[in-house]
Amino acid sequence: MNPKSNRRSGCQAADFAPSQLHRAVLIGLALLAPLPAAAQDTATADATAPKLLGNVKVTASKMSAASTVQDTPISVQALGQEDFDKKAATDFSDFYHQIDGLSVQDNGPGDKRYVIRGITSNGAGTVGVYLDDVVITGSNEQDGGGQQADVKLFDLDRVEVLKGPQGTTFGSGSLAGTIRYITAQPNTSRFEGKINTSVRATKGADLGYQSDVAINLPIVKDIFAVRVAGFGTELPGWIDSKFDKGINGETSKAGRVSALWTPTDDLSITAMVMQQSTQQDGKSYYNVTGYDGSVISSGSHYNQADLTRNPWDENTHLYNFKLEYAQPYGTFTATASRFDRQTTYSRDASYVAGLYFGLDPYTTGLSQLRQPNTRAVNTYEARFASTFDGPVQFLAGLYQQNQNRLFRSVWPYADAAGNPEVGGPTLLERTLQTGLKEQAAFTEVSWAVNDQLDLTVGGRYYKFDLESQPRSITRAGGSAGTGYGLAGSSSDNGFIGRFNASYKFSPDVMGYLQIAQGFRPGGVNDQTAAELANVSIPGGYDADSLVNYELGFKTSWLDQRLIFNAAAYYIDWSDIQVTSQATSGTLSFPYTANGGGADVTGFEFQLQAQPTDGLTLGVSGSYNDAKLSKNNPAPSDGNKGDRLPYSPKWTASANVDYAFSLASLGDGLEGNIGADYSYTGARATDFNDSVNTYMPLDAYSLLGAHVSIGKGPWTIALSGSNLTNDDTAINYDAVAYGATPWNVYINRPRTFVLSFSYKL
């Protein structure tokens, strides 16, 4: 049975469990109790005051301080914490539909691959991801989940999405663009804080909750401040297994502490530490049929076919230290950061044990594949950005990154309760230790030719060295492993460049032309792992690169009450890193190889308007035609003219927000109401239907709405997402492609959130 034909209908009411509210209530009471009287009297700005839409600040360039979206001559969009609060957004899945040209290969929390302008493939990440100065770009080279960590959306200033290659300043991971999570920074001048707690009701799930808090403490006024923020959520699941109900429920906790010391007017030192953990009893997929072909999901009931319990665990730590020294002629900046991430991914391997070893999946072959993965990324950067009195400015910097990763894959038997028999015999066990060193020097020079024309030229020299060491502990089937295998290595160096010209036709109309290169280093394949299928695979693969040609303009009208921005682009992508298959005749094994090339042509636009005070309207959209321009080495892996995977041709979004006074009902009372809509066009999981990992993904739309009432520092809000309960598949995967049922992923069903917030 094709899982795509299993369309969802009907309604299942959520079971409300009020006892789950106690954690949210306790957090709110504990923080409200000590509020100073002055904080209680804080009033918010007039809800009907005009909003200058073009004044959203971004730091898209390391050359200068923050500028507005309208003054930045690249394609960039930004959303602030207040945007997330209105939608009750918790992570990436809750906001990316509002960014045109941004899509995702979504396997659930902590397991996503971001796609900007259709650029995605196997290998390292194509979109660079940062939290402040910490590089958190996902590592996609192995299986085992854990592609991109989900940053929880609490106490942020904004999220910036920079489209097109950002490699000259942000490095190799920014082949298609960069996503930057900018946290709220410590404030040395005033005490402030906020509390938010909410109750969540998802169709088919129990009641959930979320709470987040933040407090800013100016320990020494104007000299030293500390900011502390915390986040906790329990989001019950809507998918059942043979063992439990709601197994895809998510429990997440996060905390962040930042400190700012400004010993002099010229010197500032910032330190940050953050921890975040996520746990699920099972991944967020369901199956239409079981391993025996029987129907197990129908109507609005979602079930998994798994014969074992398969939890997901993730624990992440981030550290950052930043020093800035400002002089009249420029600013020196030095940063050091560390990103530690541990994930444990597991999946039912019982049926595969039957395929490979002839074991009965329900008895002698009952087993689970577990893949613990640890990754540490240390990043150092030193740069100087000038502020000369004159038309020429420059940026120069040095960059060093060291990555270490230990990937372990172990295949233990499981007991009748579905739990792995840890410490007992295994059907397979192997490890892969990988080390990557990247060194780079980058620069940009800008010239303000006159009051209208600005020219910028930039470049980056890079050098990579990668080493890997595989180890076979248990051979496929259970016999003793062969020990350490042949070590692999790869190195690469080169230069990429960027050219940007912007011209101001008037103070409110700017056009720009940009030509920018992006790159990813090559890598090695784990030949030891290929013994599972008794096949031989190549030892490695080469770098790939692209060139993005872009023409855009940004316009503001009617005192910035109307904004229209647009960009058109063409991308030439060479030597794409793709997934190929080696086969023994009966079994296949995937590995990374270099494919042909791709041409990507598209355009995107954003329109915002504020026709009256308090009323804001927005529409955005993108068209993207991303196709192979050459055959991949194996025709079955992709042919000229095939669309790139997970690349919708059309995306669109719209929103309306109206803030108004309710003074007739009470002094200082204010209201807000709004709605948002998004459309994601059809795409597919692979190049064409001759590939066993190919499944078409239908177009879908999401509708949300929100309403709130507030007075001074407090607000009560009700929001809803996926109001039409759209259940279109957004991704598929399988334990053994072509031999086991498809795992089907969908957006979270209809959800309502009732929240209370208080600003100190």
Side-chain angles (χ1 to χ4, degrees), residues 399-644:
Y399 179 89
Q400 170 82 37
Q401 186 181 101
N402 301 322
Q403 290 193 44
N404 289 288
R405 184 181 182 210
L406 177 61
F407 174 79
R408 178 171 173 252
S409 186
V410 57
W411 192 345
Y413 293 95
D415 60 26
N419 298 307
E421 297 177 349
V422 179
T426 62
L427 289 165
L428 173 74
E429 185 171 0
R430 63 184 179 91
T431 63
L432 180 66
Q433 182 80 47
T434 304
L436 174 65
K437 293 183 178 180
E438 176 185 355
Q439 297 173 317
F442 58 91
T443 186
E444 282 192 356
V445 179
S446 68
W447 176 28
V449 180
N450 52 44
D451 291 340
Q452 295 174 291
L453 177 63
D454 286 281
L455 303 177
T456 300
V457 177
R460 186 183 188 96
Y461 172 80
Y462 61 89
K463 182 178 185 296
F464 287 92
D465 292 292
L466 184 147
E467 296 181 350
S468 67
Q469 178 62 69
R471 182 188 180 194
S472 173
I473 301 171
T474 303
R475 291 176 60 89
S479 61
T482 56
Y484 288 102
L486 181 66
S489 64
S490 176
S491 61
D492 191 18
N493 65 83
F495 179 86
I496 61 169
R498 170 179 175 261
F499 170 78
N500 184 285
S502 64
Y503 188 84
K504 283 206 167 187
F505 297 92
S506 74
D508 295 322
V509 178
M510 176 182 68
Y512 69 87
L513 169 68
Q514 177 161 275
I515 303 172
Q517 294 177 290
F519 72 102
R520 284 188 299 176
V524 297
N525 289 308
D526 185 3
Q527 295 174 303
T528 304
E531 70 177 21
L532 177 64
N534 296 313
V535 296
S536 297
I537 62 175
Y541 51 94
D542 296 328
D544 59 355
S545 61
L546 58 75
V547 183
N548 181 96
Y549 305 88
E550 183 172 337
L551 181 65
F553 60 87
K554 298 189 173 185
T555 68
S556 302
W557 311 88
L558 305 175
D559 294 329
Q560 294 188 327
R561 286 183 178 269
L562 177 65
I563 286 176
F564 181 68
N565 299 338
Y569 56 85
Y570 167 73
I571 301 172
D572 182 9
W573 192 5
S574 304
D575 301 319
I576 302 175
Q577 295 172 13
V578 297
T579 299
S580 192
Q581 300 280 340
T583 180
S584 63
T586 57
L587 299 175
S588 296
F589 187 87
Y591 65 93
T592 303
N594 290 98
D599 291 332
V600 183
T601 304
F603 69 84
E604 57 206 19
F605 74 92
Q606 303 92 41
L607 174 66
Q608 288 183 301
Q610 192 172 48
T612 63
D613 290 349
L615 177 62
T616 304
L617 308 172
V619 178
S620 67
S622 70
Y623 169 83
N624 183 277
D625 189 21
K627 295 181 179 179
L628 288 177
S629 58
K630 301 177 182 177
N631 292 343
N632 285 335
S636 61
D637 294 336
N639 298 306
K640 181 179 179 179
D642 289 343
R643 285 192 59 80
L644 300 188

Side-chain angles (χ1 to χ4, degrees), residues 92 95 110-114 124-140 146-153 156 159-160 170 173-174 177-183 256 272 274-276 314-320 337-341 343 375-379 399 401-403:
F92 180 83
F95 79 82
D111 200 4
K112 297 178 175 64
R113 185 175 297 183
Y114 301 160
T126 58
V127 175
V129 186
Y130 285 71
L131 187 138
D132 293 334
D133 291 296
V134 185
V135 181
I136 60 172
T137 307
S139 176
N140 306 329
Q147 297 179 90
Q148 182 61 57
D150 277 317
V151 176
K152 298 305 177 182
L153 304 176
L156 297 177
V159 175
E160 301 174 359
F170 290 102
S174 298
T178 300
I179 297 174
R180 304 186 67 210
Y181 294 84
I182 310 298
T183 64
R256 184 167 60 240
M272 183 272 288
M274 177 175 170
Q275 188 273 338
Q276 179 177 299
E314 175 184 3
N315 196 16
T316 299
H317 292 81
L318 298 88
Y319 310 89
N320 183 238
S337 65
R338 182 177 176 89
F339 175 51
D340 280 325
R341 190 182 186 207
T343 60
R375 179 171 176 242
V377 181
N378 294 319
T379 306
Y399 179 89
Q401 186 181 101
N402 301 322
Q403 290 193 44

Side-chain angles (χ1 to χ4, degrees), residues 44-50 610 613-615 658-661 669-672:
T44 59
D46 182 2
T48 61
Q610 192 172 48
D613 290 349
L615 177 62
Y658 182 55
F660 50 93
S661 173
L669 206 59
E670 299 166 349
N672 183 276

Side-chain angles (χ1 to χ4, degrees), residues 213-529:
V213 298
I215 187 168
N216 183 86
L217 302 170
I219 307 298
V220 180
K221 186 174 175 58
D222 298 328
I223 295 178
F224 182 70
V226 174
R227 191 176 186 96
V228 181
F231 173 95
T233 186
E234 285 192 6
L235 303 178
W238 64 91
I239 298 172
D240 300 336
S241 73
K242 64 176 293 186
F243 306 103
D244 294 299
K245 292 185 178 297
I247 53 94
N248 67 316
E250 174 192 341
T251 299
S252 294
K253 300 176 183 178
R256 184 167 60 240
V257 179
S258 304
L260 171 63
W261 179 33
T262 56
T264 70
D265 292 340
D266 301 329
L267 179 64
S268 67
I269 299 172
T270 307
M272 183 272 288
V273 59
M274 177 175 170
Q275 188 273 338
Q276 179 177 299
S277 63
T278 298
Q279 192 275 332
Q280 286 186 291
D281 290 334
K283 298 286 283 182
S284 296
Y285 61 78
Y286 72 91
N287 304 102
V288 175
T289 64
Y291 290 123
D292 60 0
S294 61
V295 176
I296 63 172
S297 294
S298 62
S300 58
H301 299 283
Y302 302 94
N303 295 280
Q304 285 188 356
D306 293 347
L307 304 177
T308 61
R309 301 175 186 267
N310 305 298
W312 160 265
D313 289 287
E314 175 184 3
N315 196 16
T316 299
H317 292 81
L318 298 88
Y319 310 89
N320 183 238
F321 178 85
K322 181 177 181 179
L323 183 150
E324 287 187 303
Y325 181 64
Q327 289 294 293
Y329 53 83
T331 300
F332 297 88
T333 303
T335 67
S337 65
R338 182 177 176 89
F339 175 51
D340 280 325
R341 190 182 186 207
Q342 300 85 38
T343 60
T344 300
Y345 171 75
S346 56
R347 67 173 185 257
D348 179 16
S350 307
Y351 196 80
V352 181
L355 290 175
Y356 286 1
F357 312 123
L359 303 175
D360 183 349
Y362 301 92
T363 56
T364 57
L366 190 63
S367 57
Q368 178 194 80
L369 186 65
R370 294 172 56 83
Q371 295 177 324
N373 185 7
T374 62
R375 179 171 176 242
V377 181
N378 294 319
T379 306
Y380 312 93
E381 182 173 300
R383 63 182 183 267
F384 170 76
S386 71
T387 52
F388 298 145
D389 291 330
V392 177
Q393 307 293 339
F394 79 92
L395 167 76
L398 298 174
Y399 179 89
Q400 170 82 37
Q401 186 181 101
N402 301 322
Q403 290 193 44
N404 289 288
R405 184 181 182 210
L406 177 61
F407 174 79
R408 178 171 173 252
S409 186
V410 57
W411 192 345
Y413 293 95
D415 60 26
N419 298 307
E421 297 177 349
V422 179
T426 62
L427 289 165
L428 173 74
E429 185 171 0
R430 63 184 179 91
T431 63
L432 180 66
Q433 182 80 47
T434 304
L436 174 65
K437 293 183 178 180
E438 176 185 355
Q439 297 173 317
F442 58 91
T443 186
E444 282 192 356
V445 179
S446 68
W447 176 28
V449 180
N450 52 44
D451 291 340
Q452 295 174 291
L453 177 63
D454 286 281
L455 303 177
T456 300
V457 177
R460 186 183 188 96
Y461 172 80
Y462 61 89
K463 182 178 185 296
F464 287 92
D465 292 292
L466 184 147
E467 296 181 350
S468 67
Q469 178 62 69
R471 182 188 180 194
S472 173
I473 301 171
T474 303
R475 291 176 60 89
S479 61
T482 56
Y484 288 102
L486 181 66
S489 64
S490 176
S491 61
D492 191 18
N493 65 83
F495 179 86
I496 61 169
R498 170 179 175 261
F499 170 78
N500 184 285
S502 64
Y503 188 84
K504 283 206 167 187
F505 297 92
S506 74
D508 295 322
V509 178
M510 176 182 68
Y512 69 87
L513 169 68
Q514 177 161 275
I515 303 172
Q517 294 177 290
F519 72 102
R520 284 188 299 176
V524 297
N525 289 308
D526 185 3
Q527 295 174 303
T528 304

